[in-house]
Amino acid sequence: MTRPSRLLLVVACALVDADNRVLLARRPEGKSMAGLWEFPGGKVRAGETPEHALIRELREELGIDVSEACLAPFTFASHAYRDFHLLMPLYVCRQWNGVIAPREHADLAWVRPRRMGSWPMPPADAPLVAMLCDLL
């Protein structure tokens, strides 16, 4: 097996509403894995903590403000893609300010945890579904 050339650190969030549904975001056309549903988040920049990166990404992608105190570290994914190895901490957040809107995604959906497995997801996101089902 060929080893990927680089490690990519991205951070993601399971936003959970009052009905225990989780927000999934569909990747837009023109990006890798377009059309797949994922947990919102993105790349951690040099000098950023995962929490600060997630706060920035949620503001950019969804137009919401999240406090670091509202981000609960939950689990992580480690997945070897063809060109890189992805390391992705997943946080759970139940409280935010603002109205969620798709600024960078093709669509958004609030999904019951037990139904998330039927949504097409990137390989790194899919294994996190069972853990979220256990939590919620």
Side-chain angles (χ1 to χ4, degrees), residues 6 9 14 24 28 40 44 46-47 50 53-54 56-57 73 75 83 85-86 90-92 104 114-116 118 125 136:
R6 62 186 172 104
L9 178 60
L24 294 180
V44 178
L54 190 52
R56 176 184 50 75
E57 288 284 351
T75 189
D83 298 328
H85 192 97
L86 181 97
L90 178 69
Y91 291 77
V92 172
E104 295 184 10
R114 301 263 177 237
R115 294 189 179 161
M116 284 191 294
S118 65
D125 290 60
L136 304 172

Side-chain angles (χ1 to χ4, degrees), residues 54-115:
L54 190 52
I55 290 166
R56 176 184 50 75
E57 288 284 351
L58 293 173
R59 186 178 304 117
E60 290 172 3
E61 291 183 0
L62 303 173
I64 60 173
D65 289 313
V66 176
S67 165
E68 187 172 344
C70 294
L71 295 174
F74 179 58
T75 189
F76 71 95
S78 179
H79 184 82
Y81 286 99
R82 192 167 66 91
D83 298 328
F84 60 91
H85 192 97
L86 181 97
L87 183 61
M88 182 173 70
L90 178 69
Y91 291 77
V92 172
C93 180
R94 294 177 178 269
Q95 206 170 351
W96 55 87
N97 292 313
V99 177
I100 292 174
R103 292 183 170 183
E104 295 184 10
H105 292 95
D107 201 3
L108 301 173
W110 289 102
V111 181
R112 300 242 174 249
R114 301 263 177 237
R115 294 189 179 161

Side-chain angles (χ1 to χ4, degrees), residues 23-59:
L23 185 75
L24 294 180
R26 189 160 46 110
R27 294 184 62 82
E29 293 301 318
K31 286 201 170 186
S32 67
M33 296 183 266
L36 297 182
W37 293 85
E38 65 183 358
F39 301 105
K43 294 177 186 171
V44 178
R45 294 178 181 162
E48 258 184 338
T49 65
E51 294 83 4
H52 288 137
L54 190 52
I55 290 166
R56 176 184 50 75
E57 288 284 351
L58 293 173
R59 186 178 304 117

